[in-house]
Amino acid sequence: MKKMLVAGFAAVVAASCLFVGCQKNDKAPAAGDKKEVAAEGKVLNIYVWNEEFQTRVKKYYPGYNEANDTIGDVKVNWVITPNQGNAYQDKLDEVLAQQASAKADDKVDIFLVEADYALKYTDTPYALDVKADLGFTDADLSKQYQYTKDIMTAGGKLKGLTWQACPAGVIYRRSIAKDLFGTDDPDAVQAKISNWADFDKVAADAKAKGYFMVSGPDDDYRVFSDNVKSPWVVNGKINVDDSIREWVAQQKIYTDKGYNNKASLWSQEQWDGAKKDGKVFCYFGPAWFIDFSLAPQVGDAETGSYGDWAFCKGPQGYSWGGTWICAAAGTDNKTLVKDILAKLTTDDTIMTRIAKEEGDFTNNEKAMEAVANSDYGNPFLGGQNHISFFLKSAKSIDKSTISPYDQGMNEELQAAMHDYFNGKVDEATAWENFYTAIKEKYPNLTR
């Protein structure tokens, strides 16, 4: 799957001295020093798949001018390509392979990756080592959760940093909880859904009262996929872990019995279930799902369901996603790139502000402990301090089973099983369709 990346390997290695190792100011000045910015490139090209990082930079990076998208006299160019169907990865592969010969204003300066395919880029020369190349020290990164560094480390080189950690749980509708349990208290609700057997019982009760337990079969998929004991690919062969099969069995039952509303992930139908007259009891997700995905979809407190939500751990601990910032080898804005990474991932004040103002769980253990023990309350969650629920699970996140193929595997598996859930094909045919799709996407793999 690294065909396009490998094609440009030699070119980037040859260019590493020209664009990185041989700069006069190879050691970047201290974070916050803007004197050298103007001496570098005039365009900062940032490759992303949505607007989440863009909103963070615009709001929290000092000196960002939203009126004309500039930092000092450097123009910031946001290149957004949707993630679905590997479109973002394909675009990134294309431009990174051309990095060495690209014009200065066209060079990639920053690119983002997520957990589902981070490994594809960490073990290549396309991302700078944030320690050796940018000058970050262990002390600079000491407050970050260890898994966020482990996932971006290859051959002893740390290839990216993130502002967020992504332990996850259940986001449930308070008003529906009161109807089902007589209370919307997070501890009480957690007691009702603390394991899958109890979760199934509540799903049946919810259906009897006219509610859907989840919006669709994809809602709890990441709980099962994050709890696999083996990766999607083992020795070049496609490997389906038992946890994935457990999800298939569960959601076939949920679809047949009407416990879900048959909505697909990120569809309008998914969000409709969360609106004022929506009937979906809960969604699964980490902090970024709460503030970036769900909250904007529900309407305000008067006309929508804003504030009618709360958070608990749910039937099984898990994590989902995460966005890492990579400094591209060949960037001509090395000083500015380092400062963006420093401000957005290591600054205590900024990390605390993002958590309190956006509801995100940021990648700073000390800051999150302080927020968890403060009087902070998330208005979307009815004033609940949800940060405290994440503290313990954030330390125990284990991503040892991830592979470079995860995005494609997850998308194709869910697509194939939707046909089975909805009665269009039998289970055996759904699995055959999955294998066929994977072989087309990753011809190097075998069954």
Side-chain angles (χ1 to χ4, degrees):
M1 72 180 283
K2 293 183 180 177
K3 182 171 63 175
M4 294 196 70
L5 290 175
V6 172
F9 180 91
V12 171
V13 171
S16 63
C17 178
L18 179 59
F19 297 112
V20 180
C22 298
Q23 287 186 10
K24 292 181 180 179
N25 294 317
D26 189 52
K27 224 172 192 179
D33 186 350
K34 300 297 192 299
K35 293 181 180 179
E36 295 297 324
V37 172
E40 296 190 323
K42 298 298 183 183
V43 178
L44 185 76
N45 292 303
I46 304 178
Y47 280 71
V48 296
W49 59 84
N50 63 24
E51 296 178 350
E52 183 185 21
F53 181 61
Q54 186 181 43
T55 61
R56 297 291 185 263
V57 174
K58 287 184 175 182
K59 185 172 181 179
Y60 295 103
Y61 184 72
Y64 193 100
N65 187 335
E66 289 193 56
N68 56 13
D69 285 315
T70 58
I71 300 173
D73 64 353
V74 176
K75 175 67 176 178
V76 182
N77 180 36
W78 295 94
V79 184
I80 302 177
T81 305
N83 227 345
Q84 285 73 19
N86 280 30
Y88 172 71
Q89 291 184 59
D90 292 343
K91 178 66 174 178
L92 196 55
D93 293 351
E94 178 185 353
V95 295
L96 289 177
Q98 300 170 359
Q99 179 83 333
S101 59
K103 295 179 180 178
D105 287 352
D106 295 332
K107 289 187 180 297
V108 183
D109 295 293
I110 289 174
F111 65 93
L112 271 57
V113 298
E114 64 176 358
D116 278 357
Y117 50 83
L119 291 181
K120 179 181 174 183
Y121 297 96
T122 56
D123 195 18
T124 73
Y126 288 96
L128 295 179
D129 182 341
V130 300
K131 293 181 180 179
D133 297 322
L134 295 183
F136 283 93
T137 66
D138 288 338
D140 294 331
L141 310 176
S142 62
K143 297 174 186 176
Q144 296 187 352
Y145 287 95
Q146 187 59 41
Y147 94 90
T148 69
K149 293 178 281 188
D150 290 344
I151 201 172
M152 293 301 292
T153 300
K157 298 179 179 180
L158 179 58
K159 295 298 193 76
L161 302 175
T162 181
W163 73 90
Q164 61 187 182
C166 299
V170 171
I171 308 106
Y172 65 88
R173 191 79 174 261
R174 287 180 179 270
S175 55
I176 296 178
K178 287 180 180 178
D179 191 18
L180 293 175
F181 313 128
T183 178
D184 64 351
D185 177 74
D187 290 333
V189 173
Q190 173 61 27
K192 295 288 188 180
I193 59 170
S194 62
N195 57 68
W196 285 117
D198 288 346
F199 191 86
D200 293 343
K201 292 177 183 176
V202 173
D205 293 341
K207 175 62 178 177
K209 287 200 168 189
Y211 302 115
F212 299 105
M213 192 64 175
V214 290
S215 71
D218 302 326
D219 280 18
D220 66 2
Y221 173 76
R222 293 290 179 160
V223 188
F224 292 88
S225 67
D226 192 60
N227 280 284
V228 296
K229 293 180 174 59
S230 57
W232 268 114
V233 177
V234 177
N235 297 325
K237 293 184 178 181
I238 302 168
N239 173 65
V240 182
D241 191 88
D242 287 344
S243 186
I244 299 295
R245 298 185 186 278
E246 289 171 9
W247 170 77
V248 173
Q250 182 209 56
Q251 285 305 317
K252 178 58 176 172
I253 294 172
Y254 274 41
T255 305
D256 288 348
K257 291 189 174 183
Y259 295 170
N260 71 51
N261 197 27
K262 298 184 179 181
S264 296
L265 188 66
W266 312 130
S267 67
Q268 188 56 53
E269 291 76 16
Q270 181 187 30
W271 305 131
D272 285 346
K275 296 185 184 301
K276 189 174 185 65
D277 59 352
K279 299 298 182 180
V280 173
F281 173 55
C282 69
Y283 293 81
F284 284 76
W288 62 257
F289 183 91
I290 299 173
D291 79 274
F292 184 74
S293 300
L294 185 59
Q297 299 289 339
V298 305
D300 59 29
E302 293 185 8
T303 62
S305 66
Y306 194 95
D308 189 27
W309 298 89
F311 178 89
C312 66
K313 179 182 177 180
Q316 192 172 10
Y318 73 107
S319 65
W320 177 14
T323 300
W324 281 263
I325 314 165
C326 298
T331 174
D332 58 346
N333 285 290
K334 195 173 176 185
T335 303
L336 179 55
V337 168
K338 178 189 177 178
D339 199 57
I340 290 174
L341 266 68
K343 290 292 193 299
L344 268 295
T345 74
T346 69
D347 187 288
D348 292 355
T349 300
I350 293 176
M351 295 294 95
T352 301
R353 284 186 59 204
I354 291 176
K356 288 187 172 182
E357 295 171 12
E358 313 296 340
D360 208 349
F361 187 83
T362 57
N363 190 23
N364 186 310
E365 186 174 344
K366 298 302 180 184
M368 292 305 92
E369 288 175 354
V371 174
N373 294 312
S374 72
D375 60 357
Y376 162 75
N378 188 323
F380 176 75
L381 299 175
Q384 180 188 9
N385 185 342
H386 65 303
I387 299 297
S388 59
F389 281 79
F390 291 126
L391 286 180
K392 185 176 181 180
S393 54
K395 293 182 180 181
S396 61
I397 294 175
D398 179 7
K399 292 294 183 180
S400 60
T401 58
I402 64 171
S403 80
Y405 304 93
D406 286 6
Q407 182 187 354
M409 293 290 189
N410 291 329
E411 288 182 352
E412 296 299 347
L413 187 281
Q414 288 169 291
M417 291 306 149
H418 270 254
D419 287 341
Y420 167 54
F421 298 150
N422 294 325
K424 295 180 180 180
V425 299
D426 60 22
E427 184 175 4
T429 302
W431 281 111
E432 285 301 316
N433 292 342
F434 163 70
Y435 284 116
T436 298
I438 291 302
K439 285 291 293 177
E440 291 176 355
K441 183 165 289 186
Y442 306 120
N444 58 306
L445 300 181
T446 59
R447 290 183 60 173

